[in-house]
Amino acid sequence: MEPVERAVILKEELDALRPISKEQELRIMQKFRLDWNYHSNRIEGNSLTYGETKALILFGLTAQGKPLKDHIEIEGHNKAIEWILDIVKGDYPLTESFIREIHTLLLKESYTVDAITAEGLPTKKRVEIGKYKNQPNHVLTNTGEIFRFAAPEETPAMMGELVDWYRQRMNSTSVNPILLAAEFHYKFIRIHPFDDGNGRTARILMNFILMQFNYPPVIIKTEEKQQYFAALRQADSGIFEPFLNFIAANLVQSLDLMIRGAKGENIEDPGDFDKELALLEKRLLSKKPRIEKNSELILKLYDNSIQPLFNAFFEQSRKFEKFYNTLDYSFVANNYSSDDMPDAISEYRQKVNERTSFLTIVFLFKHFKYTHDKNFDFHSSVSVLMAENTFTVTSTANIYKIEKTYHDMLSSSEIGEIIGSELKRHKDYIESHTDVS
């Protein structure tokens, strides 16, 4: 059975169970709201885990070591969801003002982000909340091609046309809500009307349309991110059915969850228990007495976190050595420095004590080989800063930052994320400074 047909049948089954008791409805919608907040933001790069997202939304607890921006994103997204859950109960029209209001709630405050020019060059732009873009927001694809959205001067007219198209379809006697919601999502993304937040806004608007027809919201999970983007790329090529089926298949999952909830059955995902356990552990750890650093703790940290991190960073970063004429690297700790790598990392172990306050490994790649008209260098570093009760790991210019107590060590996945962020930044930098299309 095709996903759209399956969704329609499940909707009929759900309607037969209505009205759902207030208690069950609140339980179901809280589950949707938490999943929606976590996955929609995670798809866009938010670092908060499911447990941290839940702790922030339900208890106002912030995640130690996670960027403030990530907390602001979750809070704004949750406000936007709460607003549409409230107004969808009435006869609230979908207008351009409505769309801009969602964007305002979603982003909360204006900020500056990295961007590329129409020529593919790196630049900066100011993201203004609730306002259409005033600069191009094209993106660089994996193949090196620039994918172009609507130009800023085209955007107001195209958004007016989109809303008019929606009203005509909405008022049609033969309207298919699933097709309408999926098409609106895609048309909105093709315009990309805002400087940032377009993906999250598109998913909110799609779900608002579905909920107008008494469907539950679609939750596009982080694990399906690549499938989601691939379906959008197929739609860009004129093949829309895979995207429609992708949205419908996820709607089937939401309908199944809502039916189980309406029957009073368990609605938690199999992995939710692990997420709850992780949240419990985090809350228990926050109750532990604060530990001040001492020589024994710092040595343990060095053996189990710092040395593995620095050794891995040294080995992985050297993969870029072949692209440059010269490579300088050094290990720095307090008043100690050495370019005898990687031996310096292991040798410094004898000097670690409670007075050790920072350690850094620095790479300077000089004179890129493969350009004739311009030459450039690249700086990359990972640092560990040790305060009295916590230690902080940062990459170049705090692009990646994580803070932990001395109760904790870096996990292998955290080490991978730190190094991976620097390697990706280096690769992206080379691509932005060369013609590799």
Side-chain angles (χ1 to χ4, degrees):
M1 187 181 297
E2 292 296 317
V4 174
E5 183 183 354
R6 175 65 177 157
V8 171
I9 291 172
L10 286 175
K11 170 65 160 43
E12 292 173 355
E13 183 180 344
L14 176 62
D15 287 342
L17 295 169
R18 287 178 161 131
I20 303 171
S21 72
K22 189 67 175 177
E23 181 182 350
Q24 296 290 21
E25 185 177 2
L26 288 172
R27 181 171 71 101
I28 295 166
M29 293 315 297
Q30 183 181 86
K31 166 70 174 168
F32 277 131
R33 188 162 55 90
L34 292 171
D35 288 358
W36 188 353
N37 274 298
Y38 167 68
H39 287 290
S40 193
N41 282 284
R42 190 76 170 187
I43 283 173
E44 305 299 337
N46 192 286
S47 67
L48 266 63
T49 65
Y50 186 88
E52 289 166 346
T53 300
K54 183 174 183 179
L56 178 62
I57 291 172
L58 299 186
F59 310 113
L61 299 175
T62 56
Q64 190 176 41
K66 294 296 178 71
L68 175 62
K69 179 178 181 292
D70 289 1
H71 293 85
I72 292 173
E73 285 178 352
I74 296 291
E75 290 172 339
H77 193 273
N78 188 54
K79 286 291 184 185
I81 291 176
E82 288 180 329
W83 186 55
I84 68 161
L85 288 177
D86 183 50
I87 65 174
V88 79
K89 300 169 186 175
D91 188 20
Y92 203 98
L94 195 161
T95 63
E96 288 187 72
S97 295
F98 170 82
I99 293 170
R100 289 193 292 266
E101 180 64 23
I102 287 176
H103 190 258
T104 300
L105 290 169
L106 185 69
L107 299 191
K108 294 186 72 172
E109 57 187 34
S110 300
Y111 52 90
T112 302
V113 296
D114 293 325
I116 60 171
T117 66
E119 295 76 29
L121 300 175
T123 185
K124 297 280 186 182
K125 66 180 177 184
R126 184 70 176 169
V127 177
E128 299 291 346
I129 59 172
K131 295 180 180 179
Y132 293 149
K133 60 191 174 186
N134 55 25
Q135 296 182 53
N137 55 358
H138 311 312
V139 296
L140 191 66
T141 68
N142 293 333
T143 64
E145 296 287 336
I146 295 177
F147 189 85
R148 302 181 186 278
F149 300 108
E153 57 271 17
E154 300 173 316
T155 297
M158 293 180 72
M159 286 301 294
E161 291 169 3
L162 175 60
V163 170
D164 288 342
W165 170 86
Y166 159 78
R167 286 174 182 160
Q168 291 173 6
R169 293 294 183 92
M170 179 74 173
N171 295 324
S172 170
T173 56
S174 59
V175 60
N176 180 327
I178 304 171
L179 177 60
L180 175 62
E183 280 193 292
F184 189 96
H185 176 299
Y186 175 68
K187 288 177 180 289
F188 181 91
I189 286 293
R190 285 296 286 116
I191 300 171
H192 241 61
F194 300 110
D195 284 312
D196 197 15
N198 291 288
R200 286 167 287 168
T201 305
R203 292 186 287 274
I204 287 174
L205 292 169
M206 174 180 68
N207 283 336
F208 177 76
I209 293 169
L210 287 169
M211 288 187 291
Q212 283 184 311
F213 290 91
N214 290 318
Y215 279 93
V218 165
I219 310 299
I220 299 173
K221 295 188 176 179
T222 309
E223 302 81 52
E224 297 175 327
K225 175 180 177 178
Q226 296 308 318
Q227 187 181 350
Y228 172 49
F229 288 159
L232 281 169
R233 287 193 293 269
Q234 284 182 282
D236 290 334
S237 303
I239 307 170
F240 185 72
E241 187 175 2
F243 183 68
L244 173 62
N245 286 335
F246 176 81
I247 295 301
N250 279 275
L251 181 57
V252 165
Q253 294 180 22
S254 292
L255 284 161
D256 180 68
L257 184 149
M258 196 160 189
I259 289 168
R260 284 187 281 120
K263 293 178 178 178
E265 297 174 2
N266 179 35
I267 60 173
E268 299 304 317
D269 296 329
D272 283 352
F273 178 75
D274 293 333
K275 297 169 187 173
E276 295 286 345
L277 205 58
L279 176 60
L280 174 61
E281 180 184 15
K282 187 176 184 65
R283 294 170 68 187
L284 289 172
L285 285 173
S286 69
K287 300 296 183 182
K288 282 187 176 182
R290 293 166 67 87
I291 294 181
E292 293 188 1
K293 70 175 183 179
N294 55 53
S295 294
E296 182 180 352
L297 273 177
I298 298 303
L299 188 59
K300 180 181 176 182
L301 177 68
Y302 196 84
D303 288 343
N304 293 287
S305 294
I306 298 172
Q307 194 163 347
L309 169 67
F310 281 5
N311 281 332
F313 181 56
F314 177 76
E315 292 300 324
Q316 293 297 314
S317 293
R318 290 193 64 184
K319 291 178 178 179
F320 290 93
E321 184 174 4
K322 58 189 175 185
F323 297 121
Y324 295 86
N325 288 317
T326 307
L327 171 60
D328 294 336
Y329 41 73
S330 61
F331 173 82
V332 181
N334 285 19
N335 296 321
Y336 172 89
S337 66
S338 174
D339 57 6
D340 184 19
M341 300 280 284
D343 292 342
I345 299 173
S346 57
E347 290 173 359
Y348 187 77
R349 185 184 185 280
Q350 308 304 320
K351 304 178 185 294
V352 173
N353 56 50
E354 70 275 6
R355 293 186 298 278
T356 304
S357 58
F358 78 92
L359 306 101
T360 304
I361 180 170
V362 180
F363 278 84
L364 181 57
F365 299 86
K366 297 180 179 179
H367 311 304
F368 189 77
K369 291 180 179 179
Y370 297 98
T371 54
H372 302 291
D373 57 334
K374 56 183 178 180
N375 215 325
F376 60 84
D377 303 334
F378 185 83
H379 170 266
S380 181
S381 66
V382 169
S383 303
V384 180
L385 309 176
M386 286 168 280
E388 287 303 309
N389 308 110
T390 61
F391 69 95
T392 304
V393 182
T394 64
S395 63
T396 311
N398 287 339
I399 291 170
Y400 185 100
K401 182 176 181 179
I402 180 171
E403 182 181 4
K404 300 174 77 84
T405 70
Y406 290 114
H407 291 294
D408 304 318
M409 296 291 115
L410 289 174
S411 67
S412 57
S413 63
E414 287 170 332
I415 290 175
E417 286 182 13
I418 296 163
I419 297 171
S421 70
E422 275 299 282
L423 298 184
K424 183 179 185 304
R425 189 177 71 87
H426 197 164
K427 179 185 75 70
D428 291 346
Y429 187 85
I430 292 174
E431 289 178 344
S432 71
H433 283 69
T434 57
D435 181 11
V436 292
S437 58

